[in-house]
Amino acid sequence: MSMNPSLFLLISLLLTVISTACGSKSSQEQKVADKQTAKKEVLGNFNADSAYHYVERQLECGPRVPGSNGHKVCAAWLEHKLRSFNPDTIIVQKGEVRAYTGERLPIINIMASYNRTNPNRLLLLAHWDTRPWADNDPDPTKHNTPLPGANDGGSGTAVLLEIARNLAMKKPSYGIDILLVDAEDYGRSGGFNDDGDSWCLGTQYFLDNLPYPDGLMPRYAIVLDMVGGRDAHFAREFTSHTQAKEYTDKIWNEAAALGLSERFPNRITAGVVDDHTFLNEAGIPAVDIIECDNQTTNSFPPYWHTMQDDMTNIDVNTLGDVGKTVLNIVYSPKI
């Protein structure tokens, strides 16, 4: 994914106004308010330790760069794992996309569907590939080294696997599609205005080859990206807030009802290019839950696209908070 610098500056100028609109409670006051309002039942049984293990298991495969051995091994494991959670159907999309480098990349998208014939559908999406270059690493000798991808790729995938484990035990009242997309992280570094479409190649392939019969398109989508970082906070990403506001409200309200407003602060941050960008453009409202306003960098975490994106920066509590929030959406009575 890529940050939009000009939009970030615009959002920064508006932060004061936005903060006022969203409330002016101190952090301590917000914690007290959360405890008082955290009356919502936690639905399902999201096991954060299980999600943490799924991140570890992906890293054991090695870097998941399209075409690599680690990529092949992990794809086979992900398909096997999803099948073990008893979806109605598994669709494996195998194709080829052209990277901005000119390379032809073999990609694998994997989708598990529950209540496949229900026309009311929610799409849950995460990318499982890893960036082929640590081009943001402070050590320039590592700039051509593939990333471990614990948070950027591993965390969102792990949360969706744990949600699928829950769905094997209790199906939701409407249709759920869990989609693991490939080749998200092969984009041009710094590319946004002219090179935004160099990112999220798996999602673009999916949208060009939609596996939905007539009338079974998802009503909206939730994208999970970098959702396992230590001390991570997930503000409302600008594109999500403006193009899928109804569903952004739904998610952030659910988090507040669970007492997680500190994790999901009610403020707007800059827009990013991510899988949700292309879903929204295709007419599927999509919300991106992503850490993109880190307090140190004011954008992505300091270890983004570095070799430090490993298990030392994964927090089981962050995985749990995101997982519980999304699983509560999945098990809500209405889509």
Side-chain angles (χ1 to χ4, degrees), residues 100-158:
Y100 80 91
T101 59
E103 297 170 85
R104 303 294 298 186
L105 305 177
I107 65 164
I108 303 172
N109 294 332
I110 308 169
M111 186 170 80
S113 295
Y114 296 83
N115 295 339
R116 176 66 176 169
T117 60
N118 193 317
N120 292 316
R121 311 200 64 75
L122 167 61
L123 172 63
L124 305 177
L125 184 152
H127 78 90
W128 67 274
D129 63 300
T130 52
R131 188 158 178 79
W133 323 282
D135 47 352
N136 205 42
D137 199 279
D139 182 353
T141 66
K142 297 179 180 178
H143 283 186
N144 291 319
T145 305
L147 304 181
N151 198 22
D152 197 356
S155 63
T157 297

Side-chain angles (χ1 to χ4, degrees), residues 37-264:
T37 59
K39 299 177 181 178
K40 186 71 178 282
E41 179 185 3
V42 176
L43 305 177
N45 180 27
F46 189 91
N47 187 320
D49 289 328
S50 175
Y52 187 92
H53 167 71
Y54 293 147
V55 180
E56 288 183 316
R57 182 64 184 83
Q58 290 173 79
L59 267 64
E60 289 173 1
C61 296
R64 284 89 67 202
V65 177
S68 68
N69 183 65
H71 182 263
K72 295 175 186 176
V73 170
C74 192
W77 177 75
L78 291 171
E79 181 183 348
H80 171 77
K81 201 67 184 175
L82 283 172
R83 287 189 186 278
S84 75
F85 297 138
N86 300 320
D88 295 345
T89 61
I90 286 274
I91 294 174
V92 179
Q93 285 186 331
K94 293 185 178 181
E96 192 176 77
V97 296
R98 185 179 294 277
Y100 80 91
T101 59
E103 297 170 85
R104 303 294 298 186
L105 305 177
I107 65 164
I108 303 172
N109 294 332
I110 308 169
M111 186 170 80
S113 295
Y114 296 83
N115 295 339
R116 176 66 176 169
T117 60
N118 193 317
N120 292 316
R121 311 200 64 75
L122 167 61
L123 172 63
L124 305 177
L125 184 152
H127 78 90
W128 67 274
D129 63 300
T130 52
R131 188 158 178 79
W133 323 282
D135 47 352
N136 205 42
D137 199 279
D139 182 353
T141 66
K142 297 179 180 178
H143 283 186
N144 291 319
T145 305
L147 304 181
N151 198 22
D152 197 356
S155 63
T157 297
V159 169
L160 293 190
L161 288 175
E162 176 58 15
I163 287 175
R165 188 188 69 82
N166 274 262
L167 295 178
M169 297 183 290
K170 176 186 175 184
K171 285 191 174 182
S173 58
Y174 48 85
I176 298 290
D177 300 308
I178 291 179
L179 174 61
L180 306 180
V181 293
D182 203 352
E184 186 269 356
D185 231 345
Y186 221 97
R188 186 189 296 273
S189 181
F192 186 87
N193 294 324
D194 297 328
D195 300 305
D197 61 0
S198 69
W199 300 85
C200 309
L201 300 178
T203 292
Q204 294 184 63
Y205 183 91
F206 174 79
L207 292 169
D208 288 339
N209 300 273
L210 283 169
Y212 290 107
D214 291 342
L216 291 179
M217 289 284 288
R219 183 165 296 180
Y220 72 103
I222 301 174
V223 174
L224 304 182
D225 197 354
M226 296 194 290
V227 293
R230 294 188 180 280
D231 301 318
H233 298 89
F234 305 99
R236 295 168 176 246
E237 185 270 342
F238 182 81
T239 302
S240 306
H241 180 77
T242 56
Q243 297 191 25
K245 186 176 186 301
E246 173 187 353
Y247 305 111
T248 303
D249 288 345
K250 182 181 180 70
I251 295 165
W252 266 253
N253 288 342
E254 192 70 32
L258 290 168
L260 297 174
S261 289
E262 186 176 5
R263 182 76 72 189
F264 287 81

